[in-house]
Amino acid sequence: MKTALLWIALLLLLSPKFEAQTPVVNQTTSSAKKMLEKSAMEADFNVLVNALKEVHGGLHRFVSAAELDKRLALHKQKINASKSQLEFISILSETLAEVRDGHLRLEYDEQTYAELASARLFPLRLAIEDKKAIVVFNDTPQDNGVQPGMELVAINGHAIPELVSIMLKKIGGDGFVETGKLRNLERSFATYYWLFVDQSPVFELTLRKQDNSSLMIKLDGVLNKERALNRSNNPVNKAALSNFIIPGTQKININLDFLQDEKIAYLSVRSFDVDDFKPKLDSAMQTIRNKAPKALILDLRGNGGGVDQYGAYLVAQFVDHSFRYFESIHLKSIDPSFTKWKPKTYEDLKNGTLPDGKGEYLVSEKLHDGIGNQMPASHPFKGKLIVLVNGGTFSTAADASAILQSLKRAIFVGEETGGTSEGNTSGLNAKIVMPNSGLNVKIHMYGYWNAIKNHQKGRGVIPAYLVDNTINDLIQGIDAQKNKAIELAKK
């Protein structure tokens, strides 16, 4: 997410006027069994929808007001009787997904989080390929029957396509992009299964082996805190752990290597969310200048974003002219009714915005310097630039990719970015706590519009070279996307 220092400062000054009140039933009842009255859920639903309409910075970016109202009404109709906390979580999750904002997500009450921490969850790490689920790791302590690379066909009688369909409806994503939602599902499959399917601690699985024979097996669930140790200790994962490549998970945030006798620089950027980003990037770019490679591969796969200005700073390393990064940043409100700003914060917002003529606001350069012209680096890299992206390329990483693509500065390889090219809704947020369920949502207020041309509405950066990394390749240490980038860099 975007976490510019200004936004952090503003968030620290924010305190919700609504506090979680006494739930309808005793908190000691489990979330799966705790029942909420219809009237209590409807009240919470209305609180959430009213807050969204009041402050969300991009509520109708991808869906019209009339269409969104229609969809919200349909979800509200699902509150037709008393329901459990988990059933209400399911309804709200699907409701929020209608906004098509990948930054907008439901945060659970303390008891639900506590139950998740103590629950025996689905014990495999999966990857989704063409609606098929492929085993990446076996997170059980001892089972050696389920091996990385096998296809999971069904869980407790539920076919994988059915489960993927159920879960994707409840996962938010930017615009009409599917890659980001799929990467999210892969990361949190076990949690989503527990929340949206069933809370069984035992899993009856049907799998397909590499020779197409079937395997039926029953596995106990595992605690999330046990996963890492189980994974490393279970010998069935040994080969996969030795070879497996997960783009965007390197330990060093900004990492520079040289390939092909130093003719190609390979620069990976994991995140835009660390304090020493600029000096680390400056150091890497200085090394690149000293070695003068013919081409540079910039790897932004798995980069979930971070500070706005760092994205513009990265782009500046590859252009020799001034450029626009954000076309505009919109604010629907600077004084939400359900939050309480400290006086200085409100004054900063009031003095740093301009009326847009429609009753809303435009952020000025005084509040955010990403609005103005951005200057190039003093010694930018002018050689061939190839950028690796995937569904994990989100928020600031997707913004920087979109600007580089719009400037026609780079060749893109991989899969569509998880964040949309035109921008997103993030930055400053206002927290709303629903009084009966204790669930809450941080509603982002800044509607960012990137300074780009010729894009498909609601779609991310779509690479010129679409290359899939199959899990079986990655398990063997083969990164087809990176290999394609190297091939292009050598030309």
Side-chain angles (χ1 to χ4, degrees):
M1 298 181 192
K2 296 172 186 284
T3 50
L5 297 179
L6 172 61
W7 307 156
I8 294 173
L10 291 174
L11 290 176
L12 291 174
L13 297 175
L14 175 63
S15 62
K17 288 180 180 175
F18 289 135
E19 297 295 337
Q21 299 172 6
T22 304
V24 174
V25 297
N26 193 298
Q27 285 287 339
T28 58
T29 305
S30 74
S31 292
K33 297 179 180 178
K34 184 178 83 174
M35 301 303 294
L36 294 168
E37 298 290 345
K38 178 183 176 184
S39 59
M41 288 184 287
E42 288 179 333
D44 278 8
F45 190 96
N46 291 337
V47 165
L48 175 59
V49 169
N50 290 339
L52 284 169
K53 290 183 175 182
E54 183 181 347
V55 305
H56 190 278
L59 197 60
H60 306 303
R61 187 193 290 262
F62 302 117
V63 58
S64 69
E67 180 62 23
L68 183 60
D69 283 345
K70 178 182 176 181
R71 295 182 185 185
L72 296 180
L74 289 173
H75 288 297
K76 187 175 180 180
Q77 288 175 12
K78 296 174 185 176
I79 307 173
N80 51 22
S82 297
K83 295 186 182 298
S84 71
Q85 180 85 340
L86 289 189
E87 289 174 314
F88 191 44
I89 285 173
S90 182
I91 291 172
L92 291 184
S93 296
E94 199 162 337
T95 299
L96 291 175
E98 297 285 8
V99 180
R100 298 186 177 276
D101 169 10
H103 288 84
L104 184 65
R105 62 198 65 179
L106 186 68
E107 297 187 0
Y108 314 126
D109 56 293
E110 289 184 7
Q111 178 152 347
T112 298
Y113 280 123
E115 287 182 45
L116 271 167
S118 62
R120 293 283 171 180
L121 302 178
F122 180 72
L124 306 176
R125 171 67 187 259
L126 302 175
I128 310 298
E129 295 179 1
D130 297 325
K131 295 188 178 179
K132 295 180 179 179
I134 309 299
V135 177
V136 180
F137 293 117
N138 183 334
D139 291 340
T140 65
Q142 294 180 330
D143 169 72
N144 60 11
V146 179
Q147 299 179 4
M150 289 183 175
E151 179 190 348
L152 180 63
V153 177
I155 306 171
N156 290 349
H158 301 286
I160 289 300
E162 171 197 354
L163 292 174
V164 170
S165 177
I166 289 170
M167 295 182 195
L168 285 182
K169 290 177 183 177
K170 304 175 193 303
I171 298 174
D174 272 8
F176 309 107
V177 179
E178 288 296 308
T179 57
K181 295 174 68 172
L182 287 170
R183 300 296 83 78
N184 187 340
L185 176 57
E186 290 171 344
R187 289 191 301 270
S188 304
F189 186 94
T191 295
Y192 290 141
Y193 186 94
W194 188 88
L195 287 168
F196 304 136
V197 183
D198 71 58
Q199 295 75 50
S200 172
V202 178
F203 302 87
E204 295 184 0
L205 309 179
T206 303
L207 299 106
R208 184 175 292 115
K209 299 180 181 181
Q210 282 88 341
D211 63 4
N212 282 326
S213 63
S214 294
L215 170 67
M216 300 187 71
I217 193 169
K218 182 183 290 187
L219 298 179
D220 292 331
V222 298
L223 299 177
N224 267 333
K225 66 181 181 180
E226 298 172 343
R227 284 186 185 277
L229 184 60
N230 288 351
R231 182 178 300 174
S232 61
N233 287 343
N234 191 332
V236 77
N237 298 314
K238 184 177 180 180
L241 286 171
S242 299
N243 301 319
F244 191 58
I245 301 166
I246 307 179
T249 60
Q250 68 274 12
K251 293 181 180 179
I252 302 173
N253 190 55
I254 295 177
N255 191 55
L256 176 63
D257 288 319
F258 287 88
L259 314 171
Q260 302 291 315
D261 295 326
E262 300 191 346
K263 293 178 182 178
I264 301 172
Y266 176 73
L267 178 67
S268 60
V269 180
R270 188 188 64 210
S271 158
F272 293 94
D273 207 18
V274 292
D275 292 339
D276 62 353
F277 181 88
K278 287 185 176 182
K280 292 292 186 183
L281 182 60
D282 288 343
S283 176
M285 295 307 298
Q286 180 62 55
T287 301
I288 290 169
R289 284 194 294 274
N290 293 342
K291 293 185 179 291
K294 289 173 49 181
L296 189 154
I297 298 171
L298 173 63
D299 194 342
L300 295 179
R301 293 176 296 175
N303 185 321
V307 178
D308 297 330
Q309 291 88 334
Y310 293 172
Y313 194 76
L314 179 68
V315 172
Q317 309 304 313
F318 305 108
V319 295
D320 59 3
H321 54 82
S322 63
F323 62 97
R324 295 293 304 280
Y325 191 73
F326 293 129
E327 185 66 36
S328 62
I329 303 175
H330 289 252
L331 257 175
K332 199 165 187 180
S333 170
I334 61 172
D335 189 21
S337 65
F338 59 90
T339 63
K340 184 178 181 181
W341 304 113
K342 285 192 173 181
K344 184 179 185 308
T345 303
Y346 174 70
E347 289 301 315
D348 288 342
L349 288 170
K350 185 172 70 172
N351 296 331
T353 57
L354 302 168
D356 71 348
K358 301 177 183 178
E360 297 178 4
Y361 304 86
L362 288 172
V363 172
S364 71
E365 287 185 61
K366 187 175 181 180
L367 189 59
H368 198 306
D369 58 17
I371 294 294
N373 279 339
Q374 307 297 307
M375 301 308 295
S378 56
H379 298 91
F381 175 79
K382 299 179 183 180
K384 181 185 289 186
L385 176 64
I386 299 160
V387 182
L388 286 165
V389 293
N390 67 2
T393 307
F394 186 64
S395 197
T396 298
D399 294 341
S401 298
I403 300 300
L404 286 169
Q405 184 184 60
S406 182
L407 293 172
K408 299 181 179 180
R409 181 59 189 91
I411 300 167
F412 286 83
V413 176
E415 65 179 13
E416 182 178 3
T417 59
T420 51
S421 292
E422 61 253 64
N424 59 69
T425 305
S426 56
L428 177 68
N429 67 67
K431 182 177 178 179
I432 183 73
V433 178
M434 286 163 270
N436 296 297
S437 61
L439 302 170
N440 68 84
V441 177
K442 291 176 182 175
I443 303 175
H444 292 275
M445 299 176 65
Y446 282 78
Y448 292 89
W449 290 90
N450 294 333
I452 62 169
K453 301 175 182 178
N454 303 322
H455 69 282
Q456 291 181 259
K457 182 177 180 180
R459 298 299 299 271
V461 170
I462 300 175
Y465 296 89
L466 287 165
V467 180
D468 291 329
N469 270 341
T470 70
I471 288 303
N472 277 303
D473 277 349
L474 293 174
I475 286 173
Q476 298 176 57
I478 300 170
D479 186 343
Q481 294 169 347
K482 183 177 178 180
N483 289 346
K484 182 64 178 180
I486 293 171
E487 175 191 325
L488 293 169
K490 289 163 63 177
K491 290 182 178 180

